[in-house]
Amino acid sequence: MATDLKDQELLVYESRIKVPYTWSVGEVGSRFLTELKENKKIWGTKCPICEAVFVPPKKTCTFCFVACHEWVELKDEGVLQTYTVVRYDSDLIPGKKPQIIGIVLLDGADTGIAHMIDGVSPDQVKVGMRLKAVFNDKRTGQILDIKHFKPI
Amino acid sequence: MDNIAIVGVGQTTIERNKLGDTFADMVFEATQKALEDAGMTMDDIDNVITTSNDFWDGRTISTMAVGDACGAGMGKNMSALEGDGTFSCFYGMTRILSGVYGTSLVVAHVKGSESENLLITNAIFDPLYMRPIGLDSLNSAALQMRRYMTKYGVTEEQCAKVSVKNHKNALKNPYAQIKKEVSLEDVLESRLIADPLKLYDCSPISDAACAVIIAGDDRAKKAKKPVWVKGVGYCADSYFLGDRDLADALALDMAASKAYEMAEITDPLEEIDVAEVYDAFSYMELMWYEGLGFCPVGNGGKLIDKGVTEMDGKLPVNPSGGLLSGHPVIVGGMIRLAEAVLQVRGDAGDHQVKNVNTALAHGINGPCGQSHCVWIVGR
Ligand SMILES: [Zn+2]
C-alpha cells in the first residue's frame, strides 16, 4: 500500500497485554471441584429430560435447555475416545513433551472429559483403552487436581 | 430468496506477514477494491459491519479501530461481529432484509503474524476445565481428526489428498499465500505436529482482509454484476469438545439443510457447480463434504478418492486453494464467499471452473468447527 514511501524502513512495535482475571466457578463447578479436592471423587449432573450425564457438570443441558439438578457420582475409570500426541513445544501444556492429550468417557457419563494421558508411551496408546484418573496428592480445587489418566 | 445480491467483493493478498500494512491499511485496500468492483462509492453504502477478534488484534472492541478504513467514520451506522466473515455477511444481509438499509458493506481482517497462535487459540477454551490442559487449535483438531478416522475408517492418505489438491489449485490463485506443489508423500512424510496431524495437513498463519458489498431489491437489480443469494443457513454446536461426537458435523448438516431448502436444492452434488469450504485442516474438508451432503456420512474419503472434488471433477472444491494455502482466521469464510461470487460471475481468472451457475461458500468458527454458515449464490 505504501507506494510513495518505498524506501521507508518498516518498524514493528513490541508490547504485551497482561490482564489478571478472577473467574467465578459457580455453584455447580464449585461442588465438582470441591469433590475432586476433598474426596478425590468425580461427580456429574444429569438432565431430567434426556438423562444425559455431563462431566464436567453443567447447570443447563446442552441438548434440552433445562436445568440439571440431579447429581451422579461417576467412576474414576473410563474409555479413551480419541487422543493426540503433541509434538511441538507448548508452555500451556503442564506435562512433558511429547504429551498425550485425550478425551475420556468416564463410566456412567455421556460426555467426554479432555485431559492428559500418562503412563503409556505414544506408540502404545490406543483408542478404546481403559483408563483411570490419577489424583494429585496436593489438591487445590481445580481440574488439574486430576494429574492425568493412566491405563488400567 | 430472490431479492438479495452480492454486488462487490475485494480481497488483499494473503501473506505470512504483511509487514507494511496495519489492520486498517488492509481493510482500506479490501474496501476500495470492493467498491471499485461494485462500481460504487461510499455514498452508496448504507451501513458498515466489521469483523475481527480482540485477542488476535490485541485491543478491546478491535472492530472500532478499522472504522475509518471502511468509511464508517463518515457517519455510517457501524456494527461489529466476532467470529467468521460469513457470519457478519449473514448479519449484513439481515440488516437489508429489515428494510432499514439498502446496502451493507461487510469487512473482515486479521493479522495472525502479530501474536502467538497457541496462546490465543488456547484462550478459546473454557478457563476452568479445558484451558489448563493446554488445548489449542492444533491439538484439538488432532483430537477431531483421530476421532473422525476411528469412527469412519478414513485414512491419513485420504486426508493428505485434500492438501495435495488444494496446494495444486493455489498455484493459479494470485491471492494465495503458499504456492507450492506438494505430493502425497510430501504430506504423509511431513513433520508430525500432533498425531495424526502433520505439517501439510495444517493451514498456515496468515494476514489478510476481505470486503463484501451486499444489496437488496432495486439496489441489487441496478448493480453492475449482481450475484444472487439463493439460500443461507447458520447453526452452532455445543462448546465443550466432549459434548459432541467430534466425527460428525451436526451443526453443518443443519446449516446446509436450511440453505438448501431456501435455495430449493435437493441434490447438492448434482445442483452445485463449485464449492469453497473451510479447510483449516485437510481432514476437515472431508468432514465438510459429508456435512454438506456431497456424500453419505463417513464417505468423505471415498469422495476424494474418486476425484469428484478435483478441479476437473464433477464438483470442484476449493479451486482457490482454500485455507491450506493461506488461512487468515476471521476472514477465511468471507474469502470463500468472495471466491464463490467470482466463480458465478466467471471472474475467477486462472482458477475459474467452467459453466458455474450455482456456487457454495462455507465458513466456520470455534474449536473443531463449532459454528457453521453456508451460502448458496448463483445467477
Ligand atoms: Zn437433556
Side-chain angles (χ1 to χ4, degrees):
Chain A
M1 294 290 290
T3 43
D4 48 353
L5 296 169
K6 271 209 172 99
D7 300 328
Q8 176 62 51
E9 183 198 355
L10 295 168
L11 304 181
V12 173
Y13 175 66
E14 281 189 46
S15 182
R16 66 186 296 122
I17 292 179
K18 203 171 177 183
V19 186
Y21 281 88
T22 53
W23 283 294
S24 168
V25 174
E27 291 168 350
V28 169
S30 296
R31 170 154 186 195
F32 173 69
L33 295 176
T34 303
E35 286 289 343
L36 290 186
K37 179 185 172 192
E38 302 291 336
N39 305 316
K40 295 201 268 186
K41 297 228 184 265
I42 303 173
W43 285 75
T45 53
K46 187 173 179 179
C47 170
I49 296 179
C50 71
E51 301 196 335
V53 174
F54 293 95
V55 65
K58 278 194 207 305
K59 199 164 189 171
T60 316
C61 176
T62 303
F63 314 109
C64 307
F65 193 64
V66 290
C68 303
H69 295 300
E70 190 184 340
W71 284 82
V72 181
E73 188 187 335
L74 302 166
K75 282 189 78 172
D76 58 2
E77 296 177 17
V79 172
L80 185 60
Q81 289 184 308
T82 184
Y83 70 91
T84 181
V85 186
V86 182
R87 306 285 175 170
Y88 52 86
D89 294 317
S90 169
D91 299 339
L92 302 164
I93 299 171
K96 285 195 200 85
K97 188 174 103 172
Q99 177 65 51
I100 306 170
I101 290 178
I103 296 180
V104 183
L105 185 65
L106 295 175
D107 295 349
D110 290 292
T111 65
I113 187 164
H115 217 296
M116 289 173 287
I117 314 298
D118 265 319
V120 57
S121 66
D123 52 349
Q124 294 292 313
V125 63
K126 279 197 172 51
V127 169
M129 77 192 315
R130 297 230 12 116
L131 302 166
K132 186 178 176 63
V134 176
F135 284 85
N136 268 314
D137 293 335
K138 274 194 182 164
R139 296 182 301 280
T140 56
Q142 52 150 321
I143 193 67
L144 293 177
D145 284 353
I146 300 173
K147 201 174 173 186
H148 55 251
F149 284 83
K150 67 165 191 192
I152 298 171
Chain B
M1 267 181 73
D2 56 5
N3 63 335
I4 299 280
I6 295 172
V7 299
V9 297
Q11 47 180 317
T12 66
T13 54
I14 307 171
E15 294 173 52
R16 176 61 182 84
N17 188 347
K18 290 172 90 71
L19 191 60
D21 289 339
T22 65
F23 309 140
D25 293 344
M26 296 193 307
V27 169
F28 183 55
E29 180 186 337
T31 301
Q32 278 189 314
K33 284 177 170 173
L35 285 170
E36 190 186 344
D37 186 52
M40 287 179 163
T41 68
M42 206 38 92
D43 291 341
D44 299 309
I45 301 300
D46 292 356
N47 84 102
V48 177
I49 297 167
T50 60
T51 327
S52 61
N53 175 289
D54 290 2
F55 259 44
W56 252 297
D57 279 14
R59 70 182 82 181
T60 308
I61 327 182
S62 56
T63 50
M64 302 293 281
V66 295
D68 292 349
C70 53
M74 300 166 78
K76 308 280 181 191
N77 178 317
M78 180 174 81
S79 192
L81 240 94
E82 189 174 34
D84 183 64
T86 49
F87 305 178
S88 47
C89 288
F90 190 102
Y91 181 31
M93 178 192 73
T94 56
R95 285 191 127 192
I96 294 169
L97 290 170
S98 75
V100 177
Y101 304 103
T103 60
S104 295
L105 164 67
V106 192
V107 301
H109 73 268
V110 81
K111 291 200 83 175
S113 66
E114 295 193 339
S115 50
E116 299 289 333
N117 185 60
L118 292 184
L119 286 174
I120 286 171
T121 62
N122 174 250
I124 291 170
F125 293 96
D126 178 90
L128 297 175
Y129 304 124
M130 294 194 283
R131 224 183 275 182
I133 312 300
L135 288 171
D136 59 45
S137 59
L138 295 172
N139 55 37
S140 61
L143 291 173
Q144 184 172 43
M145 181 175 177
R146 170 93 58 200
R147 174 66 192 142
Y148 177 54
M149 287 168 52
T150 305
K151 186 167 183 184
Y152 295 120
V154 171
T155 64
E156 289 187 53
E157 189 171 331
Q158 287 169 326
C159 298
K161 282 182 182 176
V162 172
S163 181
V164 173
K165 168 178 74 70
N166 292 356
H167 278 99
K168 189 175 160 199
N169 290 350
L171 295 173
K172 294 187 172 171
N173 178 3
Y175 298 105
Q177 173 183 338
I178 296 178
K179 289 177 186 161
K180 179 183 169 184
E181 196 148 7
V182 298
S183 68
L184 204 58
E185 292 68 37
D186 290 337
V187 182
L188 291 170
E189 286 162 19
S190 61
R191 176 164 51 89
L192 263 178
I193 301 293
D195 318 15
L197 269 184
K198 298 161 294 296
L199 182 66
Y200 288 139
D201 288 312
C202 306
S203 53
I205 290 169
S206 309
D207 294 353
C210 187
V212 165
I213 300 170
I214 307 172
D217 295 315
D218 289 349
R219 305 279 288 278
K221 284 185 197 123
K222 282 183 204 147
K224 260 193 344 185
K225 30 192 178 181
V227 170
W228 298 92
V229 177
K230 305 288 183 177
V232 196
Y234 176 9
C235 294
D237 210 328
S238 52
Y239 173 56
F240 276 71
L241 297 184
D243 288 6
R244 289 188 249 159
D245 186 333
L246 292 177
D248 295 309
L250 296 182
L252 176 56
D253 193 315
M254 287 186 277
S257 297
K258 283 177 203 282
Y260 293 159
E261 196 183 330
M262 278 168 93
E264 295 177 1
I265 287 173
T266 53
D267 187 347
L269 190 60
E270 290 296 327
E271 296 170 64
I272 295 165
D273 302 312
V274 61
E276 283 278 340
V277 308
Y278 208 105
D279 57 327
F281 298 93
S282 60
Y283 76 88
M284 277 189 175
E285 185 171 306
L286 302 181
M287 281 187 67
W288 307 157
Y289 293 167
E290 299 169 20
L292 290 166
F294 297 167
C295 62
V297 170
N299 281 19
K302 287 176 192 154
L303 197 71
I304 195 146
D305 280 345
K306 287 186 210 150
V308 173
T309 57
E310 298 284 342
M311 205 53 192
D312 57 356
K314 185 178 178 60
L315 171 49
V317 175
N318 286 329
S320 67
L323 298 161
L324 286 167
S325 327
H327 183 185
V329 186
I330 312 300
V331 191
M334 193 186 280
I335 296 176
R336 310 274 70 69
L337 183 56
E339 285 288 337
V341 165
L342 294 175
Q343 288 286 352
V344 170
R345 285 178 5 195
D347 287 342
D350 290 345
H351 60 288
Q352 177 69 46
V353 173
K354 284 188 195 113
N355 304 320
V356 175
N357 283 304
T358 305
L360 179 147
H362 164 234
I364 69 171
N365 200 243
C368 300
Q370 187 192 351
S371 300
H372 295 261
C373 190
V374 177
W375 288 73
I376 309 293
V377 294
R379 286 165 196 263

